[in-house]
Amino acid sequence: MDSKIVEVLLVEDSSTDAELIIRELRKHNMSNNLVHLRNGEEALDFIFAIGKYAGVREVRDSPKVILLDIHMPKVNGIEVLEKIKSDPRTRSIPVVILTSSKENPDIKKCYELGVNSYIVKPVDFDGFTKAMKNLGLYWLLINQPPE
Amino acid sequence: MMLFRDMPIRKKMMRIIFLISGVVLLVTCITFFIYEFYAFRKTTLEKLSTIGKIIAANSTAALAFDNAEDATEILSALQTEPHIVAAGLYDEDGNLFSKYLSATTFIAFPVKPGEEGYYFVPSHLEGFQPVMVGKRKLGTLYLRSDLGAMYERLKLYGGIVALVIVLSFILAYMLSRVLQKSISKPILRLAETARMISDQKDFSVRAVKTGHDELGTLTDAFNNMLVQIQDQNQALNEFNYNLEQKVSDRTIQLESVNKALQAVNKELEAFSYSISHDLRAPLRGIIGFATMLEEDYSSQLDDEAKRITGVIKSNTLKMGHLIDDLLAFSRMGRQDIKKTIIPTTSIAKEVIEELLSENKNYHVKWIVHEMPDIKGDINAIRQVWINLVSNALKYSANKEQPQVEIGSREQEGGTVFYVKDNGVGFDEKYKDKLFRVFQRLHSVEEFEGTGVGLAIVEKIISKHGGKVWAEGEENKGACFYFSLPG
């Protein structure tokens, strides 16, 4: 980690998708302080500075945006979202849910839990590129997080 | 006034008994009365005749000696017979010699004695009796009796008859009151039992038999009928019970089948979700990494290598569309239909506008007829129009002058809508395959598509209770129909 400030926390179990996402964000200079974690359990450890992250980092050094895949082994994206949004220390972190399908019956639940955005990863690479670019632009550059 | 046939049976019987006893009594009394009348007339006549004979015998001396005083004295003895109102003695020559009149009578005596014998005239009885000594006639006795005695007697008889009739009626009434019960009571009891059974629907009640007469037979028949009804009821109840049992058994079976179906349906939903999710992820990888290859190593790839990556990408995209369409099809099967009134013509026109805005190259001649509004799920029916009209556009695009016609016609029980084009059409022998998922009659090279559009149309229309069908001829055009119930 180059800096204490993590700009993007990507939680994605598919290394293929992760590579594609990181590549797109890098293209637009938005991957400087990016952390990629492969499952929900690790994401929670990281966000709440527990487990192997205890003493390594502080909860208040929250990432600017969390990109969260729904389908992950052990702890899935919904559970991570629920924990983040129910803790006053982390509630204000923008969370974007990434999923492969708009058929997902969990969409409604995500919104109920207070997700900030919801993105279907398109099969079409151009569409995917565009979605990633817009996502990074919006949450990293346009959106003003509460101080 | 109550009609005889509507009277209670008790009253009917009383009336009948009264009528019969009254008629019998009347006939008896009249007969008796007539007999008495004639008998009394005869007695009165005989009595007057006897008195006449006695007076005549006593009068011989007075007549013989021409002694009027004696004669009058003899006649005045008739005072003891109050009904003899007048008497007179005529001498040998027929002159009134002596006479007697009761106190209250005044009559004119016959001037000359009449014919011998007694006879009735309307108001009284009178007669002449010769006064004889041996064979010599000394004179004639005239006697007149009024009919008072007879009338009095008849009056008495009349009174007695009336009294007898009244007494008889009272007696008949009292007797009939007691006796009619033996007939009316079992009938009334039977009627009461029948009423009770029909009110309470209790067929276990039995009528009580009171004798072995016709009413007894009737009661037996009635009870037998009740036994039959009870048996039939029991059989019916058993049948009903069995039927209910069967229905509930079937319901339980159906419920379990339904549960199984619901489970299958849920499984299918999870399956379609995982297809869409899990199948798309690798596709994204294929397409993404092929693109990375193209972008990052473009200098090292020759034209053939670039063509190959292009084929990889386009096939992967097609797979993505197939997955999307399949999901749309399965979603349509699960969605509920919410019916509202759909303004058909304007919806069809909107759909045409949308499709034209997506592809400005179309130079189609449109014929859109006015169509009636129809009840249906607006989103689903819009999808039907989109699929049918886009098909018509797609398959007629290669024609020199493409033409698409949209219209409707009324038929029994609903409306039939159609979308007709002059495009490539199809071979009628394959028309059964048109509406099946992934069934296509043209190659993807000719016309792009996944073969799901018409299957979705079929699913939506059958969910609305309608039908879809098509007519076509190769290279002449096709016409797709769907009916919706009115």
Side-chain angles (χ1 to χ4, degrees):
Chain A
M1 265 173 277
D2 303 333
S3 162
K4 271 183 93 179
I5 298 300
V6 173
E7 296 218 313
V8 179
L9 174 63
L10 172 64
V11 190
E12 169 66 80
D13 67 314
S14 155
S15 55
T16 310
D17 278 357
E19 194 177 337
L20 288 168
I21 291 166
I22 292 164
R23 180 188 150 94
E24 285 310 310
L25 290 172
R26 187 180 295 143
K27 264 189 190 171
H28 300 96
N29 290 320
M30 291 181 289
S31 65
N32 293 337
N33 294 306
L34 183 139
V35 171
H36 172 215
L37 301 175
R38 291 177 183 279
N39 64 63
E41 196 180 28
E42 214 183 338
L44 288 175
D45 284 355
F46 182 88
I47 292 161
F48 292 99
I50 48 173
K52 67 176 183 179
Y53 292 98
V56 179
R57 60 183 306 277
E58 300 289 325
V59 179
R60 63 171 179 272
D61 300 329
S62 52
K64 279 193 176 177
V65 64
I66 299 172
L67 307 182
L68 194 58
D69 187 26
I70 286 193
H71 272 256
M72 288 183 297
K74 294 186 188 172
V75 180
N76 68 29
I78 302 246
E79 289 166 286
V80 175
L81 175 68
E82 196 170 3
K83 291 247 163 71
I84 293 170
K85 290 298 177 187
S86 59
D87 192 313
R89 293 174 299 169
T90 54
R91 190 178 290 153
S92 60
I93 307 171
V95 179
V96 177
I97 288 283
L98 302 169
T99 180
S100 288
S101 165
K102 59 184 170 192
E103 284 285 305
N104 199 326
D106 297 327
I107 294 177
K108 207 178 153 219
K109 198 163 182 213
C110 289
Y111 277 110
E112 279 167 7
L113 291 174
V115 76
N116 299 82
S117 195
Y118 179 94
I119 284 180
V120 178
K121 295 183 269 187
V123 170
D124 170 15
F125 193 75
D126 291 340
F128 186 66
T129 303
K130 212 186 264 177
M132 281 302 114
K133 189 183 154 194
N134 290 341
L135 180 75
L137 275 177
Y138 180 74
W139 288 113
L140 297 180
L141 304 176
I142 300 170
N143 187 47
Q144 284 296 316
E147 291 302 323
Chain B
M1 180 163 164
M2 199 186 246
L3 289 171
F4 182 74
R5 64 162 183 268
D6 296 331
M7 280 178 186
I9 199 156
R10 194 175 54 80
K11 277 195 177 172
K12 253 182 217 169
M13 289 181 65
M14 299 272 282
R15 294 276 163 107
I16 288 167
I17 290 169
F18 269 29
L19 197 70
I20 290 168
S21 55
V23 167
V24 169
L25 265 173
L26 214 64
V27 170
T28 310
C29 288
I30 287 167
T31 313
F32 172 71
F33 201 79
I34 290 166
Y35 168 77
E36 271 304 311
F37 180 75
Y38 283 103
F40 193 70
R41 264 169 79 109
K42 200 180 162 209
T43 313
T44 310
L45 201 76
E46 277 170 0
K47 197 176 165 191
L48 195 69
S49 164
T50 308
I51 289 169
K53 277 177 186 154
I54 292 165
I55 300 287
N58 289 341
S59 305
T60 47
L63 275 172
F65 298 107
D66 201 19
N67 188 339
E69 251 172 58
D70 276 2
T72 306
E73 204 172 308
I74 288 162
L75 288 180
S76 67
L78 289 169
Q79 278 171 341
T80 54
E81 290 289 336
H83 299 298
I84 295 176
V85 292
L89 271 172
Y90 294 85
D91 62 14
E92 223 171 339
D93 303 324
N95 297 319
L96 190 61
F97 171 68
S98 171
K99 61 182 182 183
Y100 160 79
L101 276 171
S102 75
T104 54
T105 319
F106 178 76
I107 56 153
F109 282 86
V111 182
K112 290 282 177 195
E115 206 177 314
E116 192 180 315
Y118 295 94
Y119 39 86
F120 283 95
V121 292
S123 61
H124 58 272
L125 171 67
E126 66 181 7
F128 295 93
Q129 167 83 41
V131 181
M132 309 284 286
V133 175
K135 295 217 173 150
R136 182 180 159 209
K137 185 178 174 184
L138 293 177
T140 307
L141 176 69
Y142 168 71
L143 279 176
R144 175 175 174 148
S145 168
D146 67 8
L147 295 172
M150 196 169 84
Y151 290 141
E152 255 170 43
R153 186 129 168 213
L154 286 177
K155 230 187 258 170
L156 182 69
Y157 280 162
I160 288 168
V161 163
L163 194 69
V164 165
I165 285 177
V166 169
L167 283 175
S168 302
F169 267 120
I170 290 170
L171 205 64
Y173 174 74
M174 290 193 324
L175 275 173
S176 68
R177 260 183 85 101
V178 177
L179 292 176
Q180 57 93 11
K181 279 184 186 161
S182 70
I183 293 168
S184 70
K185 214 173 181 179
I187 293 176
L188 290 177
R189 204 181 284 166
L190 205 60
E192 175 63 19
T193 310
R195 197 185 57 76
M196 201 165 78
I197 288 165
S198 104
D199 281 358
Q200 301 175 356
K201 311 274 178 260
D202 179 4
F203 295 101
S204 63
V205 175
R206 294 285 176 275
V208 179
K209 192 176 174 183
T210 46
H212 293 282
D213 57 356
E214 288 87 342
L215 284 171
T217 313
L218 186 65
T219 310
D220 281 344
F222 182 73
N223 285 339
N224 279 339
M225 243 152 59
L226 285 175
V227 169
Q228 281 174 23
I229 289 172
Q230 212 179 356
D231 288 352
Q232 281 171 4
N233 265 359
Q234 203 180 339
L236 214 64
N237 282 340
E238 274 168 24
F239 181 74
N240 260 352
Y241 177 77
N242 288 338
L243 205 67
E244 273 171 27
Q245 199 66 38
K246 267 184 195 163
V247 167
S248 84
D249 285 354
R250 289 285 146 80
T251 309
I252 289 167
Q253 280 173 15
L254 274 178
E255 272 169 2
S256 75
V257 168
N258 200 24
K259 261 185 196 157
L261 272 177
Q262 276 175 354
V264 167
N265 206 26
K266 259 217 165 110
E267 215 167 88
L268 214 66
E269 261 176 62
F271 178 67
S272 64
Y273 168 64
S274 72
I275 282 182
S276 84
H277 184 271
D278 299 344
L279 291 191
R280 281 162 63 108
L283 292 182
R284 201 163 45 243
I286 296 168
I287 228 167
F289 279 79
T291 309
M292 277 161 72
L293 193 66
E294 271 181 346
E295 288 179 357
D296 297 355
Y297 298 92
S298 91
S299 59
Q300 296 171 44
L301 293 177
D302 62 8
D303 286 351
E304 178 60 9
K306 281 176 185 163
R307 189 188 68 81
I308 289 169
T309 51
V311 171
I312 292 171
K313 279 166 76 179
S314 76
N315 274 290
T316 314
L317 268 181
K318 203 172 291 161
M319 184 71 186
H321 288 146
L322 274 172
I323 291 170
D324 288 345
D325 284 356
L326 187 60
L327 284 171
F329 178 68
S330 105
R331 189 167 54 235
M332 202 52 79
R334 295 196 307 270
Q335 254 167 18
D336 290 331
I337 296 289
K338 275 181 220 144
K339 283 192 178 180
T340 52
I341 301 289
I342 300 171
T344 312
T345 311
S346 59
I347 289 286
K349 283 181 176 165
E350 271 173 40
V351 167
I352 291 168
E353 291 296 317
E354 278 167 33
L355 291 172
L356 286 181
S357 71
E358 282 170 20
N359 191 339
K360 300 220 161 48
N361 296 332
Y362 289 130
H363 50 286
V364 181
K365 186 186 173 197
W366 295 96
I367 304 169
V368 182
H369 299 285
E370 276 298 314
M371 290 174 283
D373 295 354
I374 194 101
K375 261 186 168 175
D377 185 304
I378 189 151
N379 290 323
I381 296 297
R382 184 195 294 273
Q383 191 63 52
V384 167
W385 284 110
I386 289 172
N387 292 6
L388 291 180
V389 174
S390 62
N391 265 7
L393 283 175
K394 186 162 75 184
Y395 292 106
S396 63
N398 297 340
K399 285 274 160 177
E400 233 170 72
Q401 178 50 266
Q403 179 177 308
V404 178
E405 182 181 344
I406 296 173
S408 68
R409 62 162 197 262
E410 296 295 320
Q411 69 163 30
E412 204 181 316
T415 312
V416 175
F417 299 93
Y418 63 87
V419 178
K420 192 176 176 184
D421 66 66
N422 63 346
V424 292
F426 58 87
D427 189 339
E428 284 256 333
K429 66 181 165 187
Y430 299 123
K431 68 175 178 184
D432 290 346
K433 289 189 170 182
L434 278 172
F435 296 99
R436 292 195 207 146
V437 188
F438 295 141
Q439 293 283 350
R440 305 199 69 223
L441 300 185
H442 301 278
S443 70
V444 181
E445 277 74 27
E446 279 180 287
F447 296 100
E448 60 175 21
T450 54
V452 176
L454 288 178
I456 288 177
V457 167
E458 198 274 339
K459 193 161 256 184
I460 291 171
I461 296 304
S462 75
K463 274 196 149 195
H464 279 77
K467 275 185 181 167
V468 291
W469 67 98
E471 288 166 1
E473 202 180 322
E474 273 187 302
N475 295 318
K476 289 273 173 70
C479 189
F480 286 85
Y481 300 91
F482 65 94
S483 66
L484 287 173

